[in-house]
Coordinates of all heavy atoms in Angstrom, one line a residue:
A168 N 19.3 52.7 26.6 CA 19.4 54.2 26.7 C 18.2 54.9 26.0 O 17.6 55.8 26.5 CB 20.7 54.7 26.1
F169 N 17.8 54.3 24.8 CA 16.7 54.9 24.1 C 15.4 54.8 24.9 O 14.6 55.8 25.1 CB 16.5 54.2 22.8 CG 15.1 54.4 22.2 CD1 14.8 55.6 21.6 CD2 14.2 53.4 22.3 CE1 13.5 55.8 21.1 CE2 12.9 53.6 21.8 CZ 12.6 54.8 21.2
R170 N 15.1 53.6 25.5 CA 13.9 53.5 26.2 C 13.8 54.3 27.4 O 12.8 54.9 27.7 CB 13.7 52.0 26.5 CG 12.4 51.7 27.3 CD 11.9 50.3 27.1 NE 10.9 49.9 28.0 CZ 10.2 48.8 27.9 NH1 10.4 48.0 26.9 NH2 9.2 48.5 28.8
R171 N 14.9 54.4 28.1 CA 14.9 55.3 29.3 C 14.7 56.7 29.0 O 14.0 57.4 29.6 CB 16.2 55.1 30.1 CG 16.3 53.7 30.8 CD 17.6 53.6 31.5 NE 17.7 52.3 32.3 CZ 18.7 51.9 33.0 NH1 19.9 52.6 32.9 NH2 18.7 50.8 33.6
R172 N 15.3 57.2 27.9 CA 15.1 58.6 27.5 C 13.7 58.8 27.0 O 13.1 59.9 27.2 CB 16.2 58.9 26.4 CG 16.1 60.4 26.0 CD 17.1 60.8 25.0 NE 17.0 62.2 24.7 CZ 17.6 62.8 23.7 NH1 18.4 62.0 22.9 NH2 17.5 64.0 23.4
F173 N 13.2 57.8 26.3 CA 11.9 57.9 25.7 C 10.8 58.1 26.8 O 9.9 59.0 26.7 CB 11.5 56.7 24.9 CG 10.2 56.6 24.3 CD1 9.9 57.4 23.2 CD2 9.1 55.9 24.9 CE1 8.6 57.4 22.6 CE2 7.9 55.8 24.3 CZ 7.6 56.6 23.2
V174 N 11.0 57.4 27.9 CA 10.1 57.5 29.1 C 10.3 58.8 29.8 O 9.4 59.5 30.2 CB 10.2 56.3 30.0 CG1 9.4 56.5 31.3 CG2 9.8 55.0 29.3
R175 N 11.6 59.2 30.0 CA 11.9 60.4 30.7 C 11.4 61.6 30.0 O 11.0 62.6 30.7 CB 13.5 60.5 30.8 CG 13.9 61.7 31.7 CD 15.4 61.6 32.0 NE 16.2 61.7 30.8 CZ 16.9 60.7 30.3 NH1 16.9 59.5 30.9 NH2 17.6 60.8 29.2
E176 N 11.3 61.6 28.7 CA 10.8 62.8 28.0 C 9.3 62.7 27.7 O 8.8 63.4 26.9 CB 11.5 62.9 26.6 CG 13.0 63.2 26.8 CD 13.8 63.3 25.5 OE1 13.1 63.0 24.4 OE2 14.9 63.6 25.5
G177 N 8.6 61.8 28.5 CA 7.1 61.8 28.4 C 6.5 60.8 27.4 O 5.3 60.8 27.3
G178 N 7.3 60.0 26.8 CA 6.8 59.0 25.9 C 6.1 57.8 26.6 O 6.4 57.5 27.8
R179 N 5.2 57.2 26.0 CA 4.4 56.1 26.5 C 4.9 54.8 25.9 O 5.1 54.7 24.7 CB 2.9 56.2 26.3 CG 2.3 57.4 26.9 CD 0.8 57.3 26.9 NE 0.3 56.9 25.5 CZ -0.9 56.3 25.3 NH1 -1.7 56.1 26.3 NH2 -1.2 56.0 24.0
I180 N 5.2 53.8 26.8 CA 5.7 52.5 26.3 C 4.7 51.9 25.3 O 5.1 51.2 24.4 CB 6.0 51.6 27.5 CG1 7.1 52.2 28.4 CG2 6.4 50.2 27.0 CD1 8.4 52.4 27.7
E181 N 3.4 52.1 25.6 CA 2.4 51.5 24.7 C 2.5 52.0 23.3 O 2.0 51.3 22.4 CB 1.0 51.8 25.3 CG 0.7 51.1 26.6 CD 1.4 51.9 27.8 OE1 1.9 53.0 27.5 OE2 1.5 51.3 28.9
D182 N 3.1 53.1 23.1 CA 3.2 53.7 21.7 C 4.3 53.1 20.9 O 4.4 53.4 19.7 CB 3.4 55.2 21.8 CG 2.1 55.9 22.4 OD1 1.0 55.3 22.3 OD2 2.3 57.0 23.0
L183 N 5.2 52.3 21.5 CA 6.3 51.8 20.8 C 5.9 50.6 19.9 O 5.0 49.8 20.3 CB 7.4 51.2 21.8 CG 8.1 52.3 22.6 CD1 9.0 51.6 23.6 CD2 8.9 53.2 21.7
A184 N 6.4 50.6 18.7 CA 6.0 49.5 17.8 C 6.5 48.1 18.3 O 5.8 47.1 18.1 CB 6.5 49.8 16.4
Y185 N 7.6 48.1 18.9 CA 8.2 46.9 19.5 C 8.6 47.1 20.9 O 9.4 48.1 21.1 CB 9.3 46.3 18.7 CG 9.9 45.0 19.3 CD1 9.3 43.8 19.1 CD2 11.0 45.1 20.1 CE1 9.8 42.6 19.6 CE2 11.6 43.9 20.6 CZ 10.9 42.7 20.4 OH 11.4 41.6 21.0
R186 N 8.2 46.4 21.9 CA 8.6 46.5 23.3 C 9.4 45.3 23.7 O 8.9 44.2 23.6 CB 7.3 46.7 24.1 CG 6.5 48.0 23.8 CD 5.3 48.2 24.7 NE 4.3 47.2 24.5 CZ 3.4 47.2 23.6 NH1 3.4 48.3 22.7 NH2 2.5 46.3 23.4
S187 N 10.6 45.6 24.2 CA 11.4 44.5 24.7 C 10.7 43.8 25.9 O 10.3 44.5 26.9 CB 12.8 45.1 25.2 OG 13.6 44.0 25.7
P188 N 10.5 42.5 25.8 CA 9.9 41.8 26.9 C 10.7 41.8 28.2 O 11.9 41.8 28.2 CB 9.7 40.4 26.4 CG 10.8 40.2 25.4 CD 11.0 41.6 24.8
L189 N 10.0 41.9 29.4 CA 10.6 41.8 30.7 C 11.7 42.9 30.8 O 12.8 42.6 31.4 CB 11.2 40.4 30.9 CG 10.2 39.3 30.9 CD1 10.9 38.0 31.1 CD2 9.1 39.5 32.0
F190 N 11.5 44.1 30.3 CA 12.5 45.1 30.4 C 12.6 45.5 31.9 O 11.6 45.6 32.6 CB 12.0 46.3 29.6 CG 13.0 47.5 29.6 CD1 14.0 47.5 28.6 CD2 13.0 48.5 30.5 CE1 14.9 48.6 28.6 CE2 13.9 49.5 30.5 CZ 14.9 49.6 29.5
P191 N 13.8 45.7 32.5 CA 15.1 45.7 31.8 C 15.9 44.4 32.0 O 17.1 44.4 31.7 CB 15.8 46.8 32.5 CG 15.3 46.7 33.9 CD 13.9 46.3 33.8
V192 N 15.2 43.3 32.4 CA 15.9 42.1 32.7 C 16.5 41.5 31.4 O 17.7 41.2 31.4 CB 15.0 41.1 33.4 CG1 15.7 39.7 33.6 CG2 14.4 41.6 34.7
V193 N 15.7 41.3 30.4 CA 16.2 40.7 29.1 C 17.3 41.6 28.5 O 18.4 41.0 28.1 CB 15.0 40.5 28.2 CG1 15.6 40.1 26.8 CG2 14.1 39.5 28.7
P194 N 17.2 42.9 28.4 CA 18.3 43.6 27.8 C 19.6 43.6 28.7 O 20.7 43.5 28.1 CB 17.8 45.1 27.8 CG 16.3 44.9 27.7 CD 16.0 43.7 28.5
I195 N 19.4 43.5 30.0 CA 20.6 43.5 30.8 C 21.3 42.1 30.6 O 22.5 42.0 30.5 CB 20.3 43.7 32.3 CG1 19.9 45.1 32.5 CG2 21.4 43.3 33.2 CD1 19.4 45.4 33.9
V196 N 20.5 41.0 30.6 CA 21.1 39.7 30.3 C 21.8 39.7 28.9 O 22.9 39.2 28.8 CB 20.0 38.6 30.4 CG1 20.6 37.3 29.9 CG2 19.5 38.5 31.8
A197 N 21.1 40.3 27.9 CA 21.7 40.4 26.6 C 22.9 41.2 26.6 O 23.8 41.1 25.7 CB 20.6 40.9 25.6
L198 N 23.1 42.1 27.5 CA 24.3 42.9 27.6 C 25.4 42.2 28.3 O 26.6 42.3 27.9 CB 24.0 44.2 28.3 CG 25.0 45.3 28.3 CD1 25.3 45.8 26.9 CD2 24.6 46.5 29.2
V199 N 25.1 41.5 29.3 CA 26.1 40.8 30.1 C 26.7 39.6 29.4 O 27.9 39.4 29.4 CB 25.5 40.3 31.5 CG1 26.5 39.4 32.2 CG2 25.2 41.6 32.3
L200 N 25.9 38.8 28.7 CA 26.3 37.6 28.1 C 27.4 37.8 27.0 O 28.4 37.2 27.0 CB 25.2 36.8 27.5 CG 24.2 36.1 28.6 CD1 23.1 35.4 27.9 CD2 25.0 35.2 29.5
P201 N 27.2 38.8 26.1 CA 28.2 39.1 25.1 C 29.5 39.6 25.8 O 30.6 39.3 25.3 CB 27.6 40.2 24.2 CG 26.2 40.0 24.3 CD 25.9 39.5 25.8
G202 N 29.3 40.4 26.9 CA 30.5 40.8 27.6 C 31.3 39.6 28.2 O 32.6 39.6 28.1
L203 N 30.6 38.6 28.7 CA 31.3 37.4 29.2 C 31.9 36.7 28.1 O 33.0 36.1 28.3 CB 30.3 36.6 30.0 CG 29.7 37.1 31.3 CD1 28.6 36.2 31.9 CD2 30.8 37.4 32.3
S204 N 31.3 36.7 26.9 CA 31.9 35.9 25.8 C 33.2 36.6 25.4 O 34.2 35.9 25.0 CB 30.9 35.9 24.6 OG 30.7 37.2 24.1
L205 N 33.3 37.9 25.5 CA 34.5 38.6 25.1 C 35.6 38.3 26.1 O 36.8 38.1 25.8 CB 34.3 40.1 25.1 CG 33.6 40.7 23.9 CD1 33.5 42.2 24.0 CD2 34.4 40.4 22.6
V206 N 35.2 38.1 27.4 CA 36.2 37.7 28.4 C 36.7 36.3 28.1 O 37.9 36.0 28.2 CB 35.6 37.8 29.8 CG1 36.6 37.2 30.9 CG2 35.2 39.2 30.2
G207 N 35.8 35.4 27.7 CA 36.1 34.1 27.4 C 37.0 34.0 26.2 O 38.0 33.2 26.1
V208 N 36.8 34.9 25.2 CA 37.6 34.9 24.0 C 39.0 35.4 24.4 O 40.0 34.8 23.9 CB 37.0 35.9 22.9 CG1 38.0 36.2 21.9 CG2 35.8 35.2 22.3
A209 N 39.1 36.4 25.2 CA 40.4 36.9 25.7 C 41.2 35.8 26.4 O 42.5 35.8 26.3 CB 40.3 38.1 26.5
L210 N 40.6 34.9 27.1 CA 41.2 33.9 27.9 C 41.6 32.6 27.1 O 42.3 31.8 27.6 CB 40.4 33.5 29.1 CG 40.1 34.6 30.1 CD1 39.2 34.2 31.2 CD2 41.4 35.2 30.7
D211 N 41.0 32.5 25.9 CA 41.2 31.4 25.0 C 42.5 31.6 24.2 O 42.5 32.6 23.4 CB 40.0 31.1 24.2 CG 40.2 29.9 23.3 OD1 41.2 29.2 23.4 OD2 39.2 29.5 22.6
P212 N 43.5 30.8 24.3 CA 44.7 31.1 23.6 C 44.5 31.1 22.1 O 45.2 31.8 21.3 CB 45.7 30.0 24.0 CG 45.2 29.5 25.3 CD 43.7 29.7 25.3
A213 N 43.5 30.3 21.6 CA 43.3 30.2 20.2 C 42.6 31.4 19.6 O 42.6 31.6 18.4 CB 42.5 28.9 19.9
Q214 N 41.9 32.2 20.5 CA 41.2 33.4 20.0 C 41.6 34.7 20.7 O 40.9 35.7 20.5 CB 39.7 33.1 20.3 CG 39.1 31.8 19.8 CD 37.6 31.7 20.1 OE1 36.8 32.4 19.5 NE2 37.3 30.8 20.9
S215 N 42.6 34.6 21.5 CA 43.0 35.8 22.3 C 43.4 37.0 21.4 O 43.5 38.1 21.9 CB 44.1 35.5 23.3 OG 45.2 35.0 22.6
A216 N 43.7 36.8 20.2 CA 44.1 37.9 19.3 C 43.0 38.8 19.0 O 43.2 40.0 18.7 CB 44.7 37.3 18.0
A217 N 41.7 38.3 19.1 CA 40.6 39.2 18.8 C 40.5 40.5 19.5 O 40.4 41.6 18.9 CB 39.3 38.4 18.9
P218 N 40.6 40.5 20.9 CA 40.5 41.8 21.6 C 41.8 42.6 21.4 O 41.7 43.8 21.4 CB 40.4 41.4 23.1 CG 40.8 40.0 23.1 CD 40.5 39.3 21.8
W219 N 42.9 42.0 21.2 CA 44.2 42.7 21.0 C 44.1 43.5 19.7 O 44.7 44.6 19.6 CB 45.4 41.8 21.0 CG 45.7 41.2 22.3 CD1 45.5 39.9 22.8 CD2 46.3 41.9 23.4 NE1 45.9 39.8 24.1 CE2 46.4 41.0 24.5 CE3 46.7 43.2 23.6 CZ2 46.9 41.4 25.7 CZ3 47.3 43.6 24.8 CH2 47.4 42.7 25.9
F220 N 43.5 43.0 18.7 CA 43.3 43.8 17.4 C 42.0 44.6 17.4 O 42.0 45.7 16.9 CB 43.3 42.8 16.2 CG 44.7 42.3 15.9 CD1 45.0 40.9 16.2 CD2 45.6 43.0 15.2 CE1 46.2 40.4 15.9 CE2 46.8 42.5 14.9 CZ 47.2 41.2 15.2
G221 N 40.9 44.0 18.0 CA 39.6 44.6 17.9 C 39.5 45.9 18.7 O 39.0 46.9 18.3
L222 N 40.1 45.9 20.0 CA 40.0 47.1 20.8 C 40.7 48.3 20.3 O 40.2 49.4 20.2 CB 40.5 46.7 22.2 CG 39.5 45.9 23.1 CD1 40.2 45.4 24.4 CD2 38.2 46.6 23.4
P223 N 42.0 48.1 19.8 CA 42.7 49.3 19.2 C 42.0 49.8 18.0 O 41.9 51.0 17.7 CB 44.1 48.8 18.9 CG 44.3 47.6 19.9 CD 42.9 47.0 20.0
F224 N 41.5 48.9 17.2 CA 40.8 49.3 15.9 C 39.5 50.1 16.3 O 39.3 51.2 15.7 CB 40.4 48.1 15.1 CG 39.7 48.4 13.8 CD1 40.3 48.9 12.7 CD2 38.3 48.3 13.8 CE1 39.7 49.2 11.6 CE2 37.6 48.6 12.6 CZ 38.3 49.1 11.5
T225 N 38.8 49.6 17.3 CA 37.6 50.4 17.7 C 37.9 51.7 18.3 O 37.3 52.8 18.0 CB 36.8 49.6 18.8 OG1 36.5 48.3 18.2 CG2 35.5 50.3 19.2
A226 N 39.0 51.8 19.1 CA 39.4 53.1 19.6 C 39.9 54.1 18.5 O 39.6 55.3 18.6 CB 40.6 52.9 20.6
L227 N 40.5 53.5 17.5 CA 41.0 54.4 16.4 C 39.8 54.9 15.6 O 39.8 56.1 15.3 CB 41.8 53.5 15.5 CG 42.4 54.3 14.2 CD1 43.4 55.3 14.7 CD2 43.2 53.3 13.3
C228 N 38.7 54.1 15.4 CA 37.5 54.6 14.8 C 36.8 55.7 15.6 O 36.4 56.7 15.0 CB 36.6 53.4 14.5 SG 37.1 52.2 13.3
L229 N 36.8 55.5 16.9 CA 36.1 56.5 17.8 C 36.9 57.8 17.8 O 36.3 58.9 17.7 CB 36.0 56.0 19.2 CG 35.1 54.8 19.4 CD1 35.1 54.3 20.8 CD2 33.6 55.2 19.0
V230 N 38.2 57.7 17.8 CA 39.1 58.9 17.7 C 38.9 59.7 16.4 O 38.7 60.9 16.4 CB 40.6 58.6 17.9 CG1 41.4 59.8 17.6 CG2 40.8 58.1 19.4
Y231 N 38.9 58.9 15.3 CA 38.6 59.5 14.0 C 37.3 60.2 14.0 O 37.1 61.4 13.5 CB 38.7 58.5 12.9 CG 38.3 59.0 11.6 CD1 39.1 59.8 10.8 CD2 37.0 58.6 11.1 CE1 38.7 60.3 9.6 CE2 36.6 59.1 9.8 CZ 37.4 59.9 9.1 OH 36.9 60.4 7.9
F232 N 36.2 59.6 14.5 CA 34.9 60.1 14.5 C 34.8 61.4 15.3 O 34.2 62.4 14.9 CB 33.9 59.1 15.0 CG 32.5 59.3 14.7 CD1 32.0 59.2 13.4 CD2 31.6 59.8 15.7 CE1 30.7 59.4 13.1 CE2 30.3 60.0 15.3 CZ 29.8 59.9 14.0
R233 N 35.5 61.4 16.5 CA 35.5 62.6 17.3 C 36.3 63.7 16.6 O 35.8 64.9 16.7 CB 36.2 62.2 18.6 CG 36.6 63.4 19.5 CD 35.4 64.1 20.0 NE 35.8 65.2 21.0 CZ 36.4 66.3 20.7 NH1 36.6 66.6 19.4 NH2 36.7 67.2 21.6
V234 N 37.4 63.5 16.0 CA 38.1 64.5 15.3 C 37.4 65.1 14.1 O 37.3 66.3 13.9 CB 39.5 64.0 14.9 CG1 40.2 65.0 14.0 CG2 40.4 63.6 16.1
R235 N 36.7 64.2 13.4 CA 36.0 64.6 12.2 C 34.7 65.4 12.5 O 34.5 66.4 11.9 CB 35.6 63.4 11.4 CG 34.7 63.7 10.1 CD 34.3 62.4 9.4 NE 33.4 62.7 8.3 CZ 33.8 63.0 7.1 NH1 35.1 62.9 6.8 NH2 33.0 63.2 6.1
H236 N 34.0 65.1 13.6 CA 32.7 65.7 13.9 C 32.8 66.7 15.0 O 31.8 67.3 15.3 CB 31.6 64.7 14.1 CG 31.4 63.8 12.8 ND1 30.6 64.2 11.8 CD2 31.8 62.6 12.5 CE1 30.6 63.3 10.9 NE2 31.3 62.3 11.3
G237 N 33.8 66.7 15.8 CA 34.0 67.7 16.9 C 33.4 67.3 18.2 O 32.9 66.1 18.3
A238 N 33.5 68.2 19.2 CA 33.1 67.9 20.5 C 31.6 67.6 20.6 O 30.8 68.2 19.8 CB 33.5 69.0 21.5
G239 N 31.2 66.8 21.5 CA 29.7 66.5 21.7 C 29.2 65.5 20.7 O 28.0 65.2 20.8
V240 N 30.0 64.9 19.9 CA 29.5 64.0 18.9 C 28.9 62.7 19.5 O 28.0 62.1 18.9 CB 30.6 63.6 17.8 CG1 31.7 62.8 18.5 CG2 30.0 62.9 16.6

Side-chain angles (χ1 to χ4, degrees):
F169 161 76
R170 180 153 167 170
R171 288 180 174 174
R172 184 180 180 189
F173 180 75
V174 173
R175 186 171 62 249
E176 295 180 354
R179 298 192 314 159
I180 299 299
E181 294 77 13
D182 295 335
L183 294 175
Y185 178 81
R186 296 182 292 277
S187 176
L189 301 178
F190 185 89
V192 177
V193 171
I195 289 176
V196 171
L198 189 64
V199 171
L200 292 180
L203 292 177
S204 69
L205 282 182
V206 174
V208 166
L210 297 177
D211 184 358
Q214 306 180 68
S215 58
W219 287 107
F220 286 105
L222 286 173
F224 179 79
T225 302
L227 183 63
C228 291
L229 293 175
V230 170
Y231 170 78
F232 198 71
R233 167 65 173 76
V234 171
R235 178 183 175 89
H236 296 281
V240 67

